[in-house]
Amino acid sequence: MEKKYWQSLENYKELKKNRVSEKEAMPEFSIEGLEESEVKGKSSRRDFLKMMGFSVGAVALVSSCQMPVRKAIPLLNRPQELTPGVPNYYASTFFDGDEYCSILVKTRESRPIKIEGNELSPISQRGTTARVQASVLDLYDDARLKGPVKNGKQTDWKTIDKEIQAQLNTLKTEGKSVILLTSTIISPTTRKLIGDFIQAYPHVKWVQYDTLPLSAMRQANQTNFGKAVIPYYHFENADVMVGFNADFLGTWLMPVTFSKQFAKGRKIKDGQTKMSRLYQFETNMSLTGSNADYRYQIKPSEEAAVLLKLYNTLAKKTGNTLYPAPSVKTDVKRVAADLLRSKGKSLVVSGTNDLQIQLIVNAINALLDNYGKTIDLNTPVYLKQGQEKEMKAALKEMQSGKAGGILFYNVNPAYDCVHAPDLAKAVKKLPLKVSFASTMDETAALCDYVCPDNNYLESWNDAEPAAGFYSFTQPAIRPIFDTRQFQESLLTWMGAKQSFSDYLENNWKTTYYPKQKEYSSFDKFWFKCKQDGVFYLAETETAQPAFKPARLKVSRPAAKGLELALYEKIAMGTGKHANNPWLQEMPDPVSTATWDNYVTVSPAYADAQGLKQEDVVKINGKIELPVLIQPGQTEGTIGIAVGYGRTHAGKVGDGIGKNVFHLLNTDGGTKKLLGTSVTLTKTSKTYPLALTQTHHVMEGRPIVRETVLGEFIKNPAAGNEEHEKFLKSENFSLYPEPKFDAFQWGLSIDLNSCTGCSNCLISCQAENNVAVVGKEQVKLGRIMHWIRIDRYYSEMADDPEVFHMPVMCQQCDNAPCENVCPVAATTHSDEGLNQMAYNRCIGTRYCMNNCPYKVRRFNWYEYVNNNSFDYNMNSELGKLVLNPDVTVRQRGVVEKCTFCVQRIQEKKLEAKAEDRELRDGEILTACQQSCPTDAIQFGNLLDKKSAVSQSNDTGRMYHLLESLHTLPSTSYLTKVRNKEA
């Protein structure tokens, strides 16, 4: 039976395929000021010339009067490292309190414009995530504070330092504590500095706070191994992976690292017979679940019972202790058999912050002999160090009056704390309230003093994401505003006479330099650390700690009621970057929705409750949100994304969606995303959602191609029969045979490696100055992204398989767009590129109509300096992020992917200047360079030894709509699932 693919429920239900789109109302021609003869169409030649003369004169006058004033300040003394037009790169570190990545910062004329992954880092390597890519735009956020603030008014650092020091000393004398509430700190030098600060002010208590903590995992490891740590996982060593509500490819713990590891086991070549397998048990359809070979739907209340059932099945086969377990329907026999076949080469993880669940996970991994092989307890991960107990104790101190002050660093509990109202009330009573927020966020608005921290691209620091792995943060630009690094403020209030950069250097000179043996001079060692951006100290412990069993017990799953599963979106996360328009407009990889959060419900539940897409419902009778019918949502559950509903984010993020952090499950003393019991009632309202999933449909054409491992082993071209037919068919073309001058640039995408994370989409947006158009334009199908991630479903609507496919301009050699352009604005180069001459384009859009891939974008409006599109391109500060190597397009112009032609030209000129040939792999497109799974290869198709040619040398290779004989230069590799046929 042929598998059918669909993108939306409208497709699935076979409703009307063609809908009449709303026609835009054409502006009426004004007749004001015209004579009667002209209105009636009886104008004379004299009248016509008169009107033309006045019109042309008026246009000329207005144009001359509106010429913008451009100011330029000459650089009289050019810095030695700055060459106009040539980028500089600085090794640095991204860490926002949740997510870590070692990076390279690309600067042009001393301003950061692009983030890339640091390939020297063993943790993140060359990959990034969408949030890391978009972080460069946060540097140029208009919402950033321009200097210190006292009682809501601008002040100076001298005044604020004097008053805060005085209050710290007063509270010290009075014996009242001051709480230093920070996010997880992974910087060893900052941790040392905080220790020094506490020595100077012993009444200061340091509390680390995580919006979404993982304290139960550390507690379980303390119970089982005597180590309260989060272990380092090695997904690349696992043949079988089992996830329980852990979106490790999307948002859980270290998604860059885990994506890279996961992809290593999914890459497969002709003749290969082995590939890793992923099982995912989850409530919401996550990015990881969409990439699973087998996906199981479970309610949050069933997770512990299903895990214990899996443990008992394994224990029965291996003669280990069995524990009483409540009955659940989920069948785990296949999973258990697979895990037993892969003892020592398997991995089970759970993202739920529940002690009993984590104890069962530990017991399963111990039974499977995974410690020391796929799990390393001797290399603990230092992310997510927050303790809920300490946060609760701090809140009680504030409420009781024992605490007299609080300092907030890189946290926003007034927005994302489950007890936010109580915390806000307690904070207001304190004599000393200080925030180091860079914007006037919800928590900073409660404080008397705001000492704005530098952006990370303006700062010095170090980081230790996992034991022995270090990276460095160094400024790529001087502070744009009168801000000051958090660490500098602590040093100032301690009375220290040194900068934090000196403090950092001295700490490394005394603590870490003696531990290394490669460099005899500290200056050389320190220079190398800053140049590479990373440093590694080998671990000394090799033996894993012994496992100590704990009694396993679970509660009976809820029989009735609606269970809520909160989750993080790939783009928005916990809402820290809500004012970033790139992230707001990034389509969710699963739902393809932008600019909102919503209630996800299963198709069956929607039918039973009479719910339709965009119907507004009330959660617990209070929160109103629209419905999004999500295939794969577990029956009896709903999902809502956190990170929305900001009130003090800035002009972009304020008022987008609803805040649902107060709905976190706090049963058992830990914060959990899953398991809160809620009620849902339908209202009579509707609310429009901006989805991209209905913009592009397959129309029954063979776009999606996949097979299973067993069939691939028999025939490497399995699932790719259409390509075989195309190769055997006789193709006659009116196009002349394409000829190339030394290069034919091509791009290959391995659909087995691609997870659909959308990192490439934001990377392309940053590199190529792609405009943000806003929710209303997205609803009209006018999103401007040069890359889209098509998401297809197959099988049944309630439990579908998911397929992700990046689509950009295919750079066709027989390009249908080229021969219909009346002004030759799109032409073909002798290197196989479909070129765009923006100043020739007159906007007929014939090329868009003739493109079978629908990858061209039209500028319906002027998105620069337009108050109707008040995003980064409408701000003098925001425009500093623009890449000077790429033209900013105007209204009425068509644009599309160029294969990053500016990067091609840059490397060609470098090779020419060095009098050598261009090397394979030297040119990296923006999407390729940032991809965490190395799914994209780019290079010269005429070079049969190039990586892209080698990638295409497989029976899995095919082109989109190849029966049209457009001869694309972009190819795809058939997806192979490791499951039964």
Side-chain angles (χ1 to χ4, degrees):
M1 181 178 175
E2 183 182 358
K3 184 182 287 188
K4 300 294 183 182
Y5 298 90
W6 44 282
Q7 280 194 312
S8 65
L9 290 169
E10 285 76 11
N11 302 145
Y12 180 75
K13 295 178 180 178
E14 296 183 354
L15 297 177
K16 296 179 181 179
K17 292 184 178 179
N18 300 317
R19 294 186 176 182
V20 180
S21 61
E22 296 182 3
K23 296 183 178 179
E24 292 191 347
M26 296 295 291
E28 295 183 2
F29 182 76
S30 174
I31 62 174
E32 184 178 353
L34 300 183
E35 297 178 3
E36 185 179 358
S37 62
E38 293 170 58
V39 174
K40 294 180 178 179
K42 299 177 181 179
S43 57
S44 65
R45 180 173 178 271
R46 181 187 297 273
D47 294 332
F48 173 75
L49 292 174
K50 183 169 64 176
M51 286 301 299
M52 283 298 294
F54 280 132
S55 301
V56 173
V59 170
L61 179 63
V62 171
S63 298
S64 62
C65 291
Q66 291 185 346
M67 180 64 69
V69 177
R70 302 183 185 277
K71 297 179 181 180
I73 302 175
L75 193 63
L76 298 179
N77 297 308
R78 179 176 66 84
Q80 184 178 358
E81 72 277 3
L82 195 154
T83 302
V86 178
N88 288 331
Y89 292 86
Y90 296 89
S92 194
T93 298
F94 171 88
F95 180 66
D96 64 356
D98 292 312
E99 187 174 351
Y100 167 85
C101 188
S102 179
I103 62 173
L104 292 180
V105 185
K106 179 182 179 180
T107 66
R108 278 293 301 271
E109 288 72 56
S110 300
R111 58 184 175 91
I113 62 169
K114 185 72 169 63
I115 304 296
E116 306 294 357
N118 186 350
E119 61 183 8
L120 298 178
S121 169
I123 298 288
S124 55
Q125 298 180 35
R126 200 176 67 191
T128 60
T129 66
R131 289 202 290 264
V132 174
Q133 283 292 328
S135 66
V136 69
L137 187 57
D138 292 337
L139 174 66
Y140 305 113
D141 187 355
D142 282 313
R144 288 185 63 193
L145 293 171
K146 309 306 185 282
V149 174
K150 175 188 173 184
N151 295 326
K153 296 181 180 179
Q154 203 82 15
T155 186
D156 58 82
W157 285 107
K158 187 176 181 180
T159 300
I160 214 167
D161 289 340
K162 183 180 179 180
E163 295 186 9
I164 290 176
Q165 279 181 298
Q167 291 205 46
L168 284 171
N169 287 319
T170 299
L171 292 170
K172 181 179 178 181
T173 304
E174 294 175 353
K176 290 196 172 184
S177 64
V178 175
I179 297 163
L180 175 59
L181 187 66
T182 75
S183 64
T184 289
I185 303 291
I186 64 170
S187 163
T189 303
T190 300
R191 296 177 74 91
K192 180 179 183 299
L193 174 59
I194 291 174
D196 293 345
F197 183 73
I198 292 173
Q199 280 188 344
Y201 297 101
H203 61 306
V204 172
K205 294 182 178 180
W206 179 27
V207 177
Q208 294 183 85
Y209 164 79
D210 290 323
T211 304
L212 301 173
L214 286 178
S215 56
M217 182 183 291
R218 293 198 309 276
Q219 189 178 349
N221 287 329
Q222 175 66 46
T223 302
N224 291 139
F225 301 99
K227 281 189 170 186
V229 298
I230 296 174
Y232 192 92
Y233 295 104
H234 290 277
F235 286 88
E236 77 277 18
N237 295 338
D239 291 340
V240 177
M241 298 158 283
V242 183
F244 282 80
N245 283 313
D247 188 12
F248 60 85
L249 297 179
T251 58
W252 187 68
L253 201 56
M254 302 170 72
V256 176
T257 306
F258 297 155
S259 295
K260 182 79 69 175
Q261 295 174 349
F262 173 76
K264 288 180 180 178
R266 307 295 286 187
K267 295 185 184 297
I268 188 166
K269 297 181 179 179
D270 292 4
Q272 191 172 325
T273 59
K274 188 177 179 182
M275 189 175 83
S276 64
R277 176 175 285 175
L278 171 61
Y279 294 90
Q280 184 76 354
F281 295 78
E282 62 183 11
T283 304
N284 301 323
M285 174 69 82
S286 70
L287 184 67
T288 304
S290 70
N291 284 277
D293 297 300
Y294 292 96
R295 180 177 179 271
Y296 298 83
Q297 298 180 26
I298 59 171
K299 291 182 179 181
S301 63
E302 294 174 341
E303 181 178 346
V306 173
L307 268 165
L308 190 54
K309 183 177 183 179
L310 176 61
Y311 169 81
N312 283 337
T313 304
L314 294 168
K316 189 175 182 179
K317 296 282 186 180
T318 56
N320 283 276
T321 305
L322 301 179
Y323 295 95
S327 176
V328 284
K329 294 180 181 179
T330 307
D331 186 8
V332 297
K333 291 180 181 177
R334 181 194 295 273
V335 186
D338 242 3
L339 287 171
L340 286 173
R341 282 193 294 266
S342 303
K343 289 184 70 173
K345 293 184 178 181
S346 57
L347 179 58
V348 181
V349 295
S350 171
T352 303
N353 191 34
D354 181 272
L355 178 59
Q356 281 301 319
I357 285 176
Q358 295 299 335
L359 287 172
I360 300 171
V361 169
N362 286 356
I364 293 173
N365 282 313
L367 188 149
L368 294 170
D369 195 26
N370 289 334
Y371 287 98
K373 296 165 184 174
T374 59
I375 307 173
D376 186 2
L377 287 162
N378 292 334
T379 308
V381 172
Y382 293 139
L383 279 64
K384 300 284 187 182
Q385 295 296 305
Q387 291 280 7
E388 290 102 315
K389 291 181 180 178
E390 293 180 2
M391 180 62 184
K392 289 178 183 176
L395 180 57
K396 286 182 179 178
E397 277 199 43
M398 288 188 283
Q399 291 172 328
S400 66
K402 292 181 180 179
I406 189 164
L407 312 176
F408 295 102
Y409 169 61
N410 199 30
V411 291
N412 188 12
Y415 161 69
D416 56 31
C417 179
V418 69
H419 305 297
D422 296 335
L423 182 135
K425 192 182 296 183
V427 167
K428 288 178 181 178
K429 297 178 182 178
L430 300 177
L432 178 62
K433 306 179 281 290
V434 182
S435 172
F436 297 96
S438 59
T439 64
M440 189 61 74
D441 62 22
E442 289 82 352
T443 303
L446 301 173
C447 296
D448 301 325
Y449 301 100
V450 183
C451 306
D453 189 22
N454 287 352
N455 182 274
Y456 82 98
L457 295 172
E458 304 167 327
S459 305
W460 287 99
N461 212 348
D462 56 5
E464 189 181 12
F469 296 94
Y470 300 90
S471 65
F472 300 88
T473 303
Q474 56 182 317
I477 188 175
R478 291 191 176 190
I480 298 174
F481 305 115
D482 186 20
T483 57
R484 187 173 69 186
Q485 198 170 341
F486 157 72
Q487 292 87 343
E488 295 279 1
S489 293
L490 294 190
L491 285 167
T492 300
W493 301 339
M494 287 164 53
K497 302 299 181 183
Q498 62 177 329
S499 66
F500 181 64
S501 61
D502 291 338
Y503 187 95
L504 175 70
E505 185 174 340
N506 290 335
N507 184 44
W508 274 82
K509 188 173 186 177
T510 56
T511 306
Y512 300 102
Y513 172 65
K515 296 180 181 179
Q516 62 83 41
K517 299 179 181 179
E518 186 176 351
Y519 296 94
S520 57
S521 162
F522 173 74
D523 290 341
K524 291 181 179 178
F525 167 72
W526 188 234
F527 177 82
K528 185 64 173 174
C529 286
K530 291 186 291 185
Q531 184 182 51
D532 291 352
V534 293
F535 175 70
Y536 173 66
L537 276 175
E539 63 184 41
T540 53
E541 285 185 278
T542 54
Q544 297 289 310
F547 175 74
K548 302 172 185 175
R551 180 169 179 77
L552 306 179
K553 55 181 180 179
V554 300
S555 303
R556 188 177 300 277
K560 298 180 180 179
L562 191 62
E563 297 183 36
L564 172 65
L566 300 177
Y567 67 97
E568 290 182 81
K569 274 196 178 185
I570 304 295
M572 204 47 51
T574 59
K576 188 168 293 185
H577 309 287
N579 207 46
N580 193 310
W582 291 353
L583 295 176
Q584 288 283 7
E585 196 156 286
M586 188 191 100
D588 182 81
V590 176
S591 70
T592 73
T594 64
W595 287 103
D596 273 302
N597 63 342
Y598 34 79
V599 178
T600 58
V601 302
S602 69
Y605 182 83
D607 289 341
Q609 301 298 319
L611 296 172
K612 296 180 181 179
Q613 190 96 328
E614 300 183 349
D615 279 351
V616 172
V617 295
K618 275 189 177 182
I619 306 300
N620 290 345
K622 297 178 180 179
I623 304 172
E624 291 190 354
L625 281 169
V627 163
L628 186 145
I629 302 174
Q630 176 61 61
Q633 181 77 28
T634 303
E635 180 67 13
T637 70
I638 60 172
I640 307 176
V642 298
Y644 289 83
R646 294 289 305 274
T647 57
H648 291 72
K651 64 182 181 182
V652 174
D654 285 351
I656 303 293
K658 299 292 176 64
N659 184 1
V660 292
F661 274 112
H662 63 282
L663 295 177
L664 285 168
N665 184 357
T666 56
D667 291 347
T670 57
K671 286 195 294 185
K672 295 181 280 291
L673 285 166
L674 310 175
T676 304
S677 180
V678 294
T679 60
L680 181 149
T681 54
K682 182 181 178 181
T683 71
S684 59
K685 304 175 187 176
T686 60
Y687 179 87
L689 293 171
L691 276 65
T692 61
Q693 71 175 16
T694 54
H695 293 185
H696 315 285
V697 279
M698 282 176 57
E699 303 293 351
R701 296 172 293 184
I703 295 175
V704 170
R705 299 188 188 179
E706 62 174 327
T707 187
V708 295
L709 182 60
E711 296 299 318
F712 172 79
I713 293 171
K714 298 175 186 175
N715 175 19
N720 199 18
E721 290 78 11
E722 289 290 331
H723 182 67
E724 296 294 311
K725 292 178 185 177
F726 173 74
L727 292 178
K728 294 176 182 178
S729 63
E730 294 186 17
N731 295 297
F732 300 97
S733 176
L734 297 177
Y735 287 88
E737 185 177 347
K739 296 181 180 179
F740 307 102
D741 184 11
F743 299 104
Q744 181 192 2
W745 301 114
L747 188 138
S748 173
I749 301 174
D750 185 353
L751 297 176
N752 235 38
S753 300
C754 176
T755 62
C757 70
S758 297
N759 164 75
C760 56
L761 184 149
I762 301 297
S763 180
C764 172
Q765 184 163 24
E767 173 72 20
N768 294 295
N769 303 334
V770 175
V772 175
V773 298
K775 178 179 176 177
E776 293 305 313
Q777 295 299 304
V778 174
K779 283 164 53 184
L780 293 172
R782 296 174 178 174
I783 199 164
M784 296 300 292
H785 295 141
W786 287 6
I787 301 177
R788 70 173 190 266
I789 311 295
D790 281 346
R791 183 268 294 120
Y792 299 101
Y793 295 125
S794 67
E795 305 300 340
M796 299 300 294
D798 286 311
D799 189 18
E801 289 182 345
V802 188
F803 191 97
H804 300 284
M805 185 179 213
V807 182
M808 65 289 286
C809 175
Q810 303 294 293
Q811 307 291 345
C812 308
D813 289 330
N814 289 347
C817 55
E818 293 172 2
N819 57 13
V820 294
C821 181
V823 292
T826 178
T827 58
H828 211 70
S829 78
D830 56 7
E831 295 182 355
L833 294 180
N834 180 248
Q835 301 174 131
M836 277 298 306
Y838 297 125
N839 59 345
R840 269 187 175 181
C841 181
I842 60 173
T844 63
R845 291 183 288 140
Y846 294 162
C847 56
M848 296 177 67
N849 291 332
N850 224 36
C851 174
Y853 308 104
K854 303 307 173 190
V855 289
R856 289 175 165 262
R857 305 288 177 257
F858 183 67
N859 287 266
W860 290 90
Y861 297 94
E862 189 78 37
Y863 299 119
V864 183
N865 299 328
N866 187 338
N867 290 334
S868 297
F869 300 93
D870 196 12
Y871 308 113
N872 61 296
M873 287 190 180
N874 193 43
S875 157
E876 292 302 314
L877 179 64
K879 282 186 282 189
L880 290 176
V881 81
L882 297 177
N883 185 354
D885 291 332
V886 180
T887 302
V888 177
R889 283 74 65 187
Q890 295 179 318
R891 182 182 183 183
V893 169
V894 172
E895 61 184 70
K896 64 170 192 69
C897 166
T898 65
F899 271 2
C900 289
V901 66
Q902 70 277 5
R903 293 190 173 204
I904 295 174
Q905 293 303 111
E906 177 190 1
K907 293 303 179 183
K908 284 167 67 177
L909 289 173
E910 278 185 20
K912 183 179 180 181
E914 296 171 9
D915 193 24
R916 60 172 176 80
E917 290 186 355
L918 200 60
R919 292 187 287 265
D920 180 49
E922 190 172 357
I923 300 171
L924 299 173
T925 61
C927 55
Q928 174 192 12
Q929 187 166 5
S930 63
C931 179
T933 62
D934 300 319
I936 301 173
Q937 298 295 331
F938 177 80
N940 184 9
L941 292 172
L942 299 182
D943 179 6
K944 299 307 177 186
K945 295 182 180 179
S946 67
V948 66
S949 295
Q950 294 291 320
S951 178
N952 286 344
D953 187 19
T954 171
R956 294 165 58 210
M957 191 277 286
Y958 71 97
H959 298 108
L960 284 185
L961 305 180
E962 50 201 353
S963 60
L964 299 180
H965 200 61
T966 56
L967 301 184
S969 295
T970 300
S971 57
Y972 295 86
L973 304 187
T974 302
K975 186 177 183 69
V976 181
R977 297 186 189 271
N978 190 358
K979 62 184 299 183
E980 301 297 327

